[in-house]
Amino acid sequence: MEKAETPLQQVQATIAQACQIARREPGEVTLIAVSKMHPAAAIEPLLREGQRHFGENRVQEAQGKWPALREAHPAVQLHLIGQLQSNKAEDAVALFDVIHSLDRPSLVKALAKAMDKAGKRVPCFVQVDLGEEQQKGGCPLADLPVLLDQARAADIPIAGLMCLPPADIEPAPFFAFLDKLARDHGLEGRSMGMSGDYETAIKLGATHVRVGTALFGARPAPE
């Protein structure tokens, strides 16, 4: 494989290679550039290269930098990939095109109310806590069927499932399990895989990979 010139080209080439091994088409995988804690000046080069899907962890941070960027690049799709507080549901629905962290009944209610008020439906991934790490958020596995039913009853479009495997543990079994869960529940989307493991995730069925460090380098330290 020829050495690509930019980080985006390198990641795109790696995605294509992983898809080839998995006998998938690169178009089946959406690359989400995770721009949390990076300023607009760091995001603009990727926009100029044609990247259109970006991920942010916090509603407030995204509100501060994305309105101007989206005005200049109206085709951008903004993904909320971090935990969402119920009291921020209205802001999240107003700003984001996809939410990856629906994980509890109270958030179903808050998002449904916000979507009704805004007159728009925002596709959501249900985050599943496969590693039993409550601090990361995520719906407990046993509660998943009920939460999916509640979301569908509230007319929230379910895009698929999302997971964050535990750090420092081989992620492949978690990715394979999320893929099986999505199939069992008739869901198409699998939001899984980050800079260190997105190749593995793609080989195990990921439809959306969330890549930050491989595109932007290390995140700047908080001020």
Side-chain angles (χ1 to χ4, degrees):
M1 187 171 64
E2 293 184 7
K3 183 171 177 60
E5 294 179 0
T6 69
L8 178 60
Q9 289 171 332
Q10 290 175 348
V11 170
Q12 290 171 333
T14 301
I15 289 173
Q17 187 176 51
C19 285
Q20 184 176 21
I21 293 169
R23 297 186 178 181
R24 301 178 64 193
E25 294 296 325
E28 296 175 28
V29 179
T30 297
L31 170 61
I32 300 169
V34 179
S35 48
K36 64 180 182 181
M37 296 178 67
H38 290 287
I43 296 168
E44 285 166 349
L46 271 75
L47 286 165
R48 288 195 294 270
E49 281 193 79
Q51 176 65 23
R52 289 297 176 263
H53 290 265
F54 290 84
E56 291 284 343
N57 265 39
R58 296 172 61 244
V59 173
Q60 189 171 353
E61 181 186 347
Q63 286 174 320
K65 67 187 179 187
W66 275 103
L69 287 169
R70 297 189 82 168
E71 188 173 347
H73 303 275
V76 159
Q77 294 283 296
L78 201 55
H79 299 249
L80 177 64
I81 60 173
Q83 288 182 267
L84 177 60
Q85 296 175 321
S86 295
N87 63 0
K88 294 286 187 181
E90 198 168 311
D91 290 337
V93 166
L95 183 60
F96 290 93
D97 300 290
V98 187
I99 293 169
H100 289 244
S101 49
L102 176 57
D103 64 355
R104 59 195 186 277
S106 60
L107 189 54
V108 168
K109 292 179 182 177
L111 284 170
K113 182 178 179 181
M115 290 182 198
D116 289 343
K117 182 176 179 180
K120 63 185 281 196
R121 312 317 284 182
V122 178
C124 294
F125 286 84
V126 172
Q127 181 178 347
V128 188
D129 179 14
L130 297 183
E132 299 183 349
E133 298 178 291
Q134 293 183 358
Q135 74 277 12
K136 288 185 178 179
C139 172
L141 189 57
D143 298 343
L144 179 60
V146 171
L147 189 68
L148 287 170
D149 286 344
Q150 291 172 334
R152 288 168 173 143
D155 196 26
I156 294 176
I158 302 298
L161 302 179
M162 184 269 246
C163 73
L164 289 165
D168 303 320
I169 296 178
E170 168 57 46
F174 297 94
F175 295 153
F177 189 39
L178 193 80
D179 179 61
K180 181 182 184 301
L181 277 177
R183 285 199 312 271
D184 289 347
H185 290 282
L187 298 169
E188 293 186 6
R190 293 121 167 98
S191 174
M192 58 189 195
M194 298 185 289
S195 286
D197 55 25
Y198 68 94
E199 291 175 78
T200 300
I202 289 168
K203 294 170 187 175
L204 292 169
T207 61
H208 295 68
V209 293
R210 310 178 304 267
V211 178
T213 304
L215 291 170
F216 292 99
R219 289 195 297 273
E223 293 181 359

